[in-house]
Short mmCIF file of all heavy atoms in Angstrom, two decimals:
data_model
loop_
_atom_site.label_atom_id
_atom_site.label_comp_id
_atom_site.label_asym_id
_atom_site.label_seq_id
_atom_site.Cartn_x
_atom_site.Cartn_y
_atom_site.Cartn_z
N LYS B 64 9.51 28.17 -43.33
CA LYS B 64 10.17 26.93 -42.92
C LYS B 64 10.93 27.01 -41.60
O LYS B 64 11.55 26.03 -41.18
CB LYS B 64 11.08 26.40 -44.03
CG LYS B 64 10.32 25.93 -45.25
CD LYS B 64 11.11 24.91 -46.01
CE LYS B 64 10.21 24.35 -47.12
NZ LYS B 64 10.72 23.12 -47.65
N TYR B 65 10.91 28.15 -40.91
CA TYR B 65 11.66 28.28 -39.65
C TYR B 65 10.81 28.86 -38.53
O TYR B 65 10.02 29.78 -38.75
CB TYR B 65 12.87 29.21 -39.83
CG TYR B 65 14.00 28.61 -40.63
CD1 TYR B 65 14.09 28.86 -42.00
CD2 TYR B 65 14.95 27.81 -40.03
CE1 TYR B 65 15.13 28.32 -42.75
CE2 TYR B 65 16.00 27.26 -40.77
CZ TYR B 65 16.07 27.52 -42.13
OH TYR B 65 17.09 26.99 -42.86
N ILE B 66 11.02 28.34 -37.34
CA ILE B 66 10.54 28.95 -36.10
C ILE B 66 11.77 29.18 -35.23
O ILE B 66 12.54 28.25 -34.98
CB ILE B 66 9.52 28.06 -35.36
CG1 ILE B 66 8.22 27.95 -36.15
CG2 ILE B 66 9.26 28.60 -33.95
CD1 ILE B 66 7.17 27.05 -35.49
N PHE B 67 11.97 30.41 -34.82
CA PHE B 67 13.05 30.77 -33.91
C PHE B 67 12.41 31.17 -32.59
O PHE B 67 11.40 31.87 -32.58
CB PHE B 67 13.87 31.95 -34.45
CG PHE B 67 14.43 31.70 -35.82
CD1 PHE B 67 13.82 32.23 -36.94
CD2 PHE B 67 15.56 30.93 -35.98
CE1 PHE B 67 14.32 32.00 -38.21
CE2 PHE B 67 16.08 30.69 -37.26
CZ PHE B 67 15.46 31.23 -38.37
N TYR B 68 12.99 30.75 -31.49
CA TYR B 68 12.44 31.16 -30.20
C TYR B 68 13.53 31.25 -29.15
O TYR B 68 14.52 30.54 -29.18
CB TYR B 68 11.30 30.23 -29.75
CG TYR B 68 11.68 28.79 -29.52
CD1 TYR B 68 11.92 28.30 -28.24
CD2 TYR B 68 11.76 27.91 -30.57
CE1 TYR B 68 12.24 26.97 -28.03
CE2 TYR B 68 12.07 26.57 -30.37
CZ TYR B 68 12.32 26.11 -29.10
OH TYR B 68 12.64 24.80 -28.88
N LYS B 69 13.30 32.22 -28.28
CA LYS B 69 14.21 32.46 -27.16
C LYS B 69 13.44 32.08 -25.89
O LYS B 69 12.38 32.63 -25.62
CB LYS B 69 14.60 33.94 -27.12
CG LYS B 69 15.57 34.30 -26.04
CD LYS B 69 15.95 35.77 -26.15
CE LYS B 69 16.92 36.16 -25.06
NZ LYS B 69 17.25 37.58 -25.13
N VAL B 70 13.98 31.12 -25.15
CA VAL B 70 13.33 30.68 -23.93
C VAL B 70 13.59 31.68 -22.82
O VAL B 70 14.41 32.59 -22.96
CB VAL B 70 13.79 29.26 -23.53
CG1 VAL B 70 13.37 28.24 -24.59
CG2 VAL B 70 15.27 29.19 -23.29
N GLU B 71 12.88 31.51 -21.70
CA GLU B 71 12.99 32.48 -20.61
C GLU B 71 14.34 32.45 -19.92
O GLU B 71 14.75 33.42 -19.29
CB GLU B 71 11.85 32.26 -19.59
CG GLU B 71 12.03 31.08 -18.66
CD GLU B 71 11.73 29.72 -19.29
OE1 GLU B 71 11.34 29.65 -20.46
OE2 GLU B 71 11.91 28.72 -18.60
N ASP B 72 15.08 31.33 -20.01
CA ASP B 72 16.37 31.18 -19.34
C ASP B 72 17.46 31.81 -20.21
O ASP B 72 17.78 31.28 -21.28
CB ASP B 72 16.66 29.70 -19.10
CG ASP B 72 17.94 29.46 -18.32
OD1 ASP B 72 18.74 30.40 -18.15
OD2 ASP B 72 18.14 28.30 -17.88
N PRO B 73 18.06 32.92 -19.77
CA PRO B 73 19.06 33.60 -20.62
C PRO B 73 20.34 32.80 -20.79
O PRO B 73 21.14 33.11 -21.66
CB PRO B 73 19.31 34.92 -19.88
CG PRO B 73 18.90 34.66 -18.48
CD PRO B 73 17.83 33.62 -18.51
N THR B 74 20.56 31.76 -19.99
CA THR B 74 21.78 30.95 -20.13
C THR B 74 21.65 29.91 -21.25
O THR B 74 22.63 29.29 -21.62
CB THR B 74 22.12 30.22 -18.81
OG1 THR B 74 21.07 29.29 -18.50
CG2 THR B 74 22.29 31.20 -17.68
N LYS B 75 20.43 29.72 -21.78
CA LYS B 75 20.23 28.72 -22.84
C LYS B 75 20.31 29.38 -24.21
O LYS B 75 20.02 30.56 -24.37
CB LYS B 75 18.86 28.05 -22.67
CG LYS B 75 18.79 27.16 -21.44
CD LYS B 75 17.48 26.42 -21.41
CE LYS B 75 17.42 25.47 -20.23
NZ LYS B 75 16.15 24.73 -20.20
N TYR B 76 20.73 28.58 -25.18
CA TYR B 76 20.83 29.06 -26.55
C TYR B 76 19.45 29.42 -27.12
O TYR B 76 18.46 28.81 -26.76
CB TYR B 76 21.43 27.98 -27.47
CG TYR B 76 22.87 27.65 -27.20
CD1 TYR B 76 23.23 26.38 -26.78
CD2 TYR B 76 23.87 28.60 -27.39
CE1 TYR B 76 24.55 26.05 -26.55
CE2 TYR B 76 25.20 28.28 -27.16
CZ TYR B 76 25.54 27.01 -26.74
OH TYR B 76 26.84 26.69 -26.51
N ILE B 77 19.44 30.39 -28.02
CA ILE B 77 18.25 30.66 -28.82
C ILE B 77 18.10 29.47 -29.76
O ILE B 77 19.08 28.96 -30.31
CB ILE B 77 18.39 31.98 -29.60
CG1 ILE B 77 18.46 33.15 -28.62
CG2 ILE B 77 17.26 32.15 -30.60
CD1 ILE B 77 18.75 34.49 -29.27
N ARG B 78 16.87 29.00 -29.93
CA ARG B 78 16.63 27.81 -30.72
C ARG B 78 16.05 28.16 -32.08
O ARG B 78 15.32 29.14 -32.22
CB ARG B 78 15.60 26.89 -30.03
CG ARG B 78 16.18 26.08 -28.89
CD ARG B 78 15.91 26.80 -27.57
NE ARG B 78 15.82 25.92 -26.44
CZ ARG B 78 16.86 25.50 -25.73
NH1 ARG B 78 18.07 25.85 -26.07
NH2 ARG B 78 16.69 24.72 -24.67
N GLY B 79 16.34 27.33 -33.05
CA GLY B 79 15.76 27.44 -34.37
C GLY B 79 15.28 26.07 -34.79
O GLY B 79 15.98 25.08 -34.59
N LEU B 80 14.08 26.00 -35.32
CA LEU B 80 13.54 24.74 -35.84
C LEU B 80 13.29 24.90 -37.33
O LEU B 80 12.56 25.81 -37.74
CB LEU B 80 12.24 24.37 -35.12
CG LEU B 80 12.31 24.15 -33.62
CD1 LEU B 80 10.92 23.84 -33.07
CD2 LEU B 80 13.29 23.05 -33.26
#
Side-chain angles (χ1 to χ4, degrees):
K64 292 205 173 197
Y65 287 95
I66 292 179
F67 304 101
Y68 62 99
K69 182 177 179 182
V70 297
E71 76 283 358
D72 184 348
T74 64
K75 291 186 177 181
Y76 293 117
I77 295 174
R78 282 96 152 86
L80 299 178

